[in-house]
Amino acid sequence: MNQKYHPGKIEARWQSIWEKTKAYAVTADPAREKYYLLEMFPYPSGRIHIGHVRNYTIGDVVARYKRMCGYNVLHPMGWDAFGMPAENAAIANNTHPAKWTYDNIAAMRRELKQLGFSYDWDREITTCTPDYYRWEQWLFVKMYEKNMVYRKESYVNWCDRCQTVLANEQVEAGDCWRCGDPVRQKKLWQWFFRITEYAEDLLEYCHKLTGWPEKVTTMQKNWIGKSTGAEIDFPVAGTSEVIRVFTTRPDTIFGATFMCLAPEHPLVETLSAGTDQQQAVAEFVDRMSRESHADRVMDNQEKEGVFIGAWCENPVNGRRMPIYIANFALMEYGTGAVMSVPAHDQRDYEFAKKYGLDIIVVILPEGVDEADVAQTEAYAGDGVMVNSGDFSGMENTAGKSAVIEYFEKKGIGSRSITYRLRDWGISRQRYWGAPIPIIHCEKCGTVPVPENDLPVILPEDADLVGGGKSPLGRLDSFVNVDCPACGAPGRRETDTMDTFVESSWYFERYCSPDHHTAIFDPETVKYWMPVDQYIGGVEHAVMHLLYSRYFTRVLHTLGLVDFKEPFTRLLTQGMVCKETVHCKTHGYLYPEETQYRQDIPYCTKCGEAAEIGRVEKMSKSKKNVIDPNALVESYGADTVRLFCLFAAPPERDLEWSEQGVEGSFRFLHRIWRLYARWVERLEKQKPYTKDPAALPEHARELYIKTHQTIKKVTDDIEQRFHFNTAISAVMELSNQLNLVEPERNDAAVDGVMRFALDSIAVLLSPIVPHITEQLWEAMGNEPGTLCNRQWPAYREDCLASDKRLVVVQVNGKLRGRFEIDAGADDAAIKARALEDDNVVRFIEGADIKKIIVVKNKLVNIVL
């Protein structure tokens, strides 16, 4: 065995062996218990980053561990390959998105393989290939046939830079989730999935996702946003139109003094047409379409609006109410119309004050005069109903149901439930996506592409035009097609699908990626699904994770799967963070652009001292990024894996530390040297695996420590995913083993040492698989067998320690600690405390007033 550790040679060797032997290839086997481990697949952006490495290393440890526990483990990898970044990069670099994407996939695949991840590469999928998206198109057609898809003209979230529509979930604080530019409202014809039909089911099952972090299920529940109340019809004066509103406060309807419509409400244009307000209304609508959605929903945003020139009637008291459009009324909530009760809603109150509208108190808090309510702000609490006709004097909490019953009796409204969740708009006006399989015919309308004509292939020879606009509408060979229903000339749909559609079912396709006659093989999906452990970022809580839950329900409705939830357990790993470095002249600096002298960073471009900023999430914009490939080249993949796992628990943010990487590298060197010292002596030694009582004390302590370490590592991986403390336990054991000299001729120690070293190799193998395979082989074991080795069991009779840790205080301050036999009496404990070298320094020459002993726990020496 080489005395020095050379990670590069070792890692290349084992990666080659694993690939040639297909060590991680797997097939469905009903005789074995399955375990489906999946990390969210990456977008092929060109290079993997350290966040990828951490995410995939966490998953790889669990996959390897479960495989060694006897499970039939499915651990696949693929590429979420459609999307705007590829298109934008292609435009910027004068290349084609397909070439850019496939080149990046090849580069990232090499990088992932260099890290030793245990993927079944035979199952690799790429979502931009026709073999994949044909089944997505097939599913779209099936959904269309079941009326689960529809097309309508509506106001949508539009990003000018990306030149496409965004779903509500893709608008973050009023900005595009992809490029960060402000989002505006634009009216377009769009395709929608009816996700709202599953709103209640999605909400109900949030309580059943016990293997998910509570913060994620809470985010989904809030996004679905269930509200219980009533829908009420307000007749529009002088017309046959009615305005339907949803309110959670039907008890306040007698205080409604005006109506507010969202600028996008379909009645705005109709009711203002021909009035003196028509021009003002049009200008306000145009201005609101360019205003940030986030600004409109902010509580501190100034409330403003315009009278539309029409009136409606309060159906319970006949009050004539002016109709306004207002910036705080949103089409996505309720019906897009707000029954405004200024005395009891703060937004309405501010609006009424600004425009001089009536404020009528209808809920009176206990012990307060009516004249004192809503003088400086709205009163939104409970109380007694007043100025409310026959309901006056009733507690408003009971009044809600009573008022709704009145609505239903009079035929003016009904009990209702609404959701914040809106149907998923999946049309994208970009090129690099899966074509929507629809043909437009003047005679037949929208006609789905017949199944035998699928896939509708995205033409990869298209030239992209400037500004990000899709070229599909300009390609006659793509657009012009006969209607499959009547044979007349038709036009193919030129919108492509939201890329979140691809990622909403890929986990099912992994189960049978080579199945060419259906979307997937139902038997293999029944065996592998649902995913047992899913791993990814919390930022996907209300997009990818919600869409995946919805899509699985669609598959269930269509009879394709027998389950509703795709992921049994979810782990959301923390971010990887690093301090930023900023130069006054050159802005943020990459690590290679800084040089440290006496702990002060200097800019290598200008030589000036730079400033160390906050520790923030690694990002290209802040340039606080680390190249994993450079780390692998310098330290080896095992060191990078070890650091990512040891620096912090998976759910916590990991702060980057060069010293931490160095420390991980040194530990692997120590492990290597430990084996090198013993390998010649122990190569043919059988491990001791019998009763600890038969061993002499010095060997028994090592044997017990090894079994305790096995239990600690097993529990930390199985129960908590706390790999950092598992690694720490192995470090403790290795430190103890390093104290044993191989020169002593002791058969008992040799047997225990062989057992301990074999155990360390197995325990560390999911974490650092390359070095452990090499050490396993060096110890005389069959080469390449470690990854399939059974996970070690621990002996219960080794877990009860016969030692106790006692801490020593002097005048209440910690001054020492020691271990002592559990059966030691107080006298022995006192004597041992007074002999402790560190304690002696604090008590030497002083008068001891008393010594307090807490059995097997504490000694407090009072001076």
Side-chain angles (χ1 to χ4, degrees):
M1 178 179 174
N2 197 313
Q3 296 296 304
K4 289 189 176 181
Y5 171 47
H6 297 287
K9 293 180 180 179
I10 292 170
E11 291 171 1
R13 178 193 175 211
W14 286 105
Q15 288 162 15
S16 176
I17 290 172
W18 294 332
E19 187 163 359
K20 287 178 182 177
T21 61
K22 293 187 179 294
Y24 307 114
V26 67
T27 57
D29 182 358
R32 296 179 61 193
E33 187 173 358
K34 66 90 178 180
Y35 192 88
Y36 189 173
L37 186 287
L38 185 63
E39 307 98 9
M40 295 178 185
F41 65 169
Y43 182 81
S45 57
R47 303 290 294 271
I48 63 170
H49 53 70
I50 205 70
H52 286 132
V53 176
R54 188 187 190 200
N55 185 11
Y56 302 148
T57 301
I58 291 167
D60 197 51
V61 172
V62 180
R64 288 176 176 274
Y65 165 76
K66 289 294 185 179
R67 187 178 292 108
M68 297 174 81
C69 289
Y71 289 91
N72 193 24
V73 175
L74 174 58
H75 188 206
M77 175 51 67
W79 313 97
D80 190 9
F82 272 138
M84 286 183 287
E87 196 169 328
N88 293 339
I91 293 170
N93 296 290
N94 196 28
T95 186
H96 194 279
K99 177 175 173 22
W100 187 86
T101 298
Y102 290 124
D103 286 350
N104 287 349
I105 287 172
M108 292 177 71
R109 186 190 298 114
R110 286 193 300 271
E111 292 170 342
L112 292 179
K113 287 185 175 181
Q114 287 174 354
L115 284 155
F117 297 134
S118 59
Y119 296 127
D120 181 354
W121 284 104
D122 290 344
R123 295 175 180 270
E124 181 181 8
I125 59 175
T126 303
T127 62
C128 65
T129 61
D131 283 347
Y132 184 85
Y133 65 72
R134 99 174 255 196
W135 297 111
E136 186 172 308
Q137 294 172 342
W138 175 87
L139 188 59
F140 180 99
V141 171
K142 295 302 176 187
M143 294 170 68
Y144 180 90
E145 292 170 351
K146 296 285 187 181
N147 197 31
M148 303 167 84
V149 181
Y150 64 95
R151 184 174 184 255
K152 72 172 183 178
E153 189 179 26
S154 68
Y155 283 96
V156 293
N157 303 305
W158 178 263
C159 175
D160 286 311
R161 178 188 289 188
C162 295
Q163 286 286 297
T164 194
V165 167
L166 303 173
N168 287 341
E169 293 85 350
Q170 295 165 333
V171 180
E172 298 177 349
D175 297 331
C176 173
W177 75 288
R178 178 64 73 184
C179 73
D181 274 14
V183 172
R184 66 182 178 93
Q185 295 293 298
K186 185 176 181 178
K187 200 169 189 179
L188 289 175
W189 281 95
Q190 297 287 295
W191 288 97
F192 292 86
F193 286 159
R194 296 187 192 273
I195 188 173
T196 52
E197 291 189 353
Y198 294 89
E200 186 61 35
D201 198 53
L202 288 165
L203 184 64
E204 179 187 345
Y205 271 74
C206 282
H207 302 288
K208 301 178 182 180
L209 297 173
T210 55
W212 286 40
E214 185 178 356
K215 63 181 177 182
V216 175
T217 55
T218 298
M219 290 169 73
Q220 290 211 357
K221 284 187 279 189
N222 290 341
W223 188 261
I224 295 167
K226 182 177 181 179
S227 296
T228 302
E231 284 191 345
I232 315 160
D233 290 335
F234 287 70
V236 178
T239 75
S240 60
E241 300 283 359
V242 295
I243 299 173
R244 177 161 292 181
V245 305
F246 171 82
T247 179
T248 59
R249 294 294 306 272
D251 53 315
T252 64
I253 188 170
F254 286 88
T257 60
F258 59 96
M259 177 71 67
C260 286
L261 301 181
E264 304 84 8
H265 197 287
L267 283 179
V268 168
E269 185 176 351
T270 301
L271 298 181
S272 63
T275 71
D276 293 342
Q277 295 295 105
Q278 183 174 357
Q279 181 64 30
V281 168
E283 290 174 357
F284 186 83
V285 169
D286 179 66
R287 182 159 63 87
M288 288 300 102
S289 73
R290 289 179 276 107
E291 187 163 311
S292 161
H293 179 275
D295 288 342
R296 287 177 61 187
V297 300
M298 288 178 62
D299 288 339
N300 59 359
Q301 174 81 344
E302 182 182 358
K303 309 302 180 288
E304 58 175 326
V306 172
F307 175 54
I308 71 169
W311 302 74
C312 65
E313 181 181 292
N314 189 320
V316 296
N317 58 14
R319 183 185 183 89
R320 196 163 181 256
M321 298 165 50
I323 304 171
Y324 284 76
I325 50 172
N327 61 345
F328 63 85
L330 305 172
M331 264 317 289
E332 66 223 42
Y333 182 77
T335 63
V338 177
M339 171 191 90
S340 294
V341 184
H344 304 291
D345 182 277
Q346 187 61 29
R347 296 172 309 165
D348 298 343
Y349 181 86
E350 293 171 16
F351 194 91
K353 284 290 188 180
K354 181 172 183 175
Y355 294 105
L357 299 168
D358 291 343
I359 299 174
I360 299 175
V361 174
V362 292
I363 305 295
L364 189 63
E366 185 178 357
V368 178
D369 290 336
E370 184 178 329
D372 295 329
V373 178
Q375 292 302 302
T376 58
E377 63 181 2
Y379 173 69
D382 293 329
V384 176
M385 296 175 69
V386 296
N387 301 317
S388 299
D390 292 341
F391 301 98
S392 295
M394 183 179 293
E395 292 289 335
N396 77 299
T397 50
K400 290 180 181 179
S401 292
V403 170
I404 293 174
E405 289 174 7
Y406 174 80
F407 295 159
E408 292 174 337
K409 182 179 179 181
K410 294 292 185 180
I412 59 175
S414 62
R415 195 176 305 274
S416 180
I417 294 173
T418 191
Y419 300 89
R420 180 187 178 210
L421 182 68
R422 285 292 177 259
D423 282 339
W424 177 10
I426 58 111
S427 294
R428 297 295 177 267
Q429 292 67 43
R430 296 297 294 238
Y431 161 69
W432 192 237
I436 294 175
I438 289 291
I439 295 168
H440 298 276
C441 173
E442 288 189 6
K443 178 182 177 182
C444 306
T446 56
V447 181
V449 174
E451 186 174 337
N452 57 3
D453 289 340
L454 296 176
V456 177
I457 295 178
L458 182 72
E460 292 193 1
D461 58 349
D463 291 326
L464 299 186
V465 297
K469 294 180 180 178
S470 171
L472 294 179
R474 300 155 59 99
L475 287 176
D476 290 343
S477 59
F478 177 80
V479 174
N480 296 329
V481 62
D482 292 339
C483 172
C486 71
R491 286 181 60 82
R492 201 181 293 282
E493 173 66 67
T494 57
D495 283 355
T496 54
M497 287 193 240
D498 183 2
T499 55
F500 278 99
V501 178
E502 282 89 67
S503 61
S504 294
W505 67 281
Y506 77 106
F507 34 86
E508 273 108 0
R509 186 65 183 171
Y510 273 142
C511 299
S512 52
D514 296 324
H515 195 70
H516 300 302
T517 58
I519 187 170
F520 44 67
D521 175 38
E523 290 304 313
T524 56
V525 166
K526 189 173 184 178
Y527 174 74
W528 289 114
M529 288 293 293
V531 174
D532 294 280
Q533 180 67 61
Y534 200 35
I535 301 173
V538 71
E539 66 271 17
H540 299 290
V542 293
M543 287 192 288
H544 165 60
L545 290 171
L546 184 62
Y547 293 154
S548 296
R549 296 182 63 216
Y550 158 66
F551 242 61
T552 303
R553 281 161 169 76
V554 169
L555 296 173
H556 183 267
T557 299
L558 296 174
L560 297 172
V561 300
D562 61 359
F563 52 90
K564 288 186 175 183
E565 292 294 342
F567 315 120
T568 303
R569 296 183 64 190
L570 173 69
L571 171 67
T572 53
Q573 85 281 358
M575 298 181 295
V576 181
C577 305
K578 187 181 183 301
E579 65 186 15
T580 56
V581 179
H582 189 270
C583 171
K584 291 181 179 178
T585 303
H586 296 100
Y588 287 109
L589 302 176
Y590 285 111
E592 58 269 23
E593 294 174 338
T594 59
Q595 189 176 58
Y596 282 81
R597 297 196 293 270
Q598 296 181 340
D599 296 330
I600 298 174
Y602 288 84
C603 174
T604 58
K605 296 178 179 180
C606 63
E608 295 296 321
E611 292 183 359
I612 297 176
R614 294 186 305 170
V615 174
E616 299 186 49
K617 175 187 176 182
M618 284 190 181
S619 67
K620 291 180 182 178
S621 62
K622 298 294 177 68
K623 298 186 177 181
N624 59 338
V625 293
I626 297 293
D627 180 11
N629 298 288
L631 290 174
V632 171
E633 187 174 336
S634 299
Y635 298 102
D638 281 340
T639 293
V640 179
R641 292 169 61 114
L642 184 67
F643 169 75
C644 286
L645 297 169
F646 185 58
E651 69 278 4
R652 300 279 297 278
D653 288 348
L654 182 155
E655 185 173 340
W656 178 259
S657 164
E658 193 72 34
Q659 294 80 8
V661 178
E662 291 280 359
S664 297
F665 193 49
R666 288 195 300 271
F667 170 66
L668 294 183
H669 274 277
R670 289 198 301 273
I671 288 290
W672 184 271
R673 290 194 298 269
L674 173 62
Y675 278 77
R677 286 170 54 214
W678 283 92
V679 65
E680 186 175 348
R681 183 180 182 90
L682 299 182
E683 188 175 1
K684 296 182 180 179
Q685 172 70 48
K686 289 185 177 182
Y688 184 86
T689 58
K690 298 179 182 179
D691 187 351
L695 291 167
E697 183 177 359
H698 58 284
R700 184 168 67 249
E701 288 182 358
L702 286 177
Y703 190 61
I704 288 173
K705 181 66 174 176
T706 303
H707 278 284
Q708 291 173 342
T709 303
I710 293 170
K711 176 172 172 42
K712 173 67 174 169
V713 174
T714 302
D715 289 349
D716 283 344
I717 296 178
E718 181 70 41
Q719 299 175 14
R720 295 177 286 273
F721 288 177
H722 281 189
F723 311 115
N724 56 328
T725 53
I727 294 166
S728 181
V730 176
M731 288 178 171
E732 287 183 24
L733 176 60
S734 66
N735 289 339
Q736 193 161 334
L737 298 183
N738 267 314
L739 299 176
V740 182
E741 294 297 333
E743 290 75 19
R744 61 189 293 177
N745 189 15
D746 191 326
V749 168
D750 287 353
V752 171
M753 281 297 296
R754 178 59 194 253
F755 173 71
L757 291 175
D758 281 355
S759 297
I760 284 180
V762 177
L763 296 176
L764 285 179
S765 64
I767 298 165
V768 285
H770 307 88
I771 186 174
T772 49
E773 283 279 14
Q774 191 73 21
L775 295 174
W776 182 257
E777 181 184 75
M779 292 294 286
N781 296 297
E782 185 179 346
T785 60
L786 183 57
C787 63
N788 294 315
R789 172 81 175 182
Q790 184 176 354
W791 189 257
Y794 50 83
R795 293 181 63 105
E796 294 288 346
D797 56 3
C798 288
L799 302 183
S801 174
D802 55 358
K803 297 284 188 180
R804 293 292 184 269
L805 179 67
V806 178
V807 297
V808 184
Q809 295 178 342
V810 177
N811 287 342
K813 293 184 177 180
L814 179 65
R815 298 304 186 193
R817 53 170 60 89
F818 59 86
E819 284 190 342
I820 197 167
D821 289 339
D825 58 18
D826 287 358
I829 294 172
K830 284 182 184 179
R832 180 69 181 81
L834 294 172
E835 292 171 358
D836 187 275
D837 292 339
N838 198 50
V839 173
V840 167
R841 292 193 302 112
F842 289 96
I843 65 174
E844 194 169 17
D847 292 329
I848 299 175
K849 294 181 178 178
K850 61 179 176 179
I851 300 176
I852 303 169
V853 177
V854 179
K855 182 76 170 179
N856 291 332
K857 288 185 179 180
L858 171 72
V859 176
N860 188 15
I861 302 172
V862 181
L863 303 180

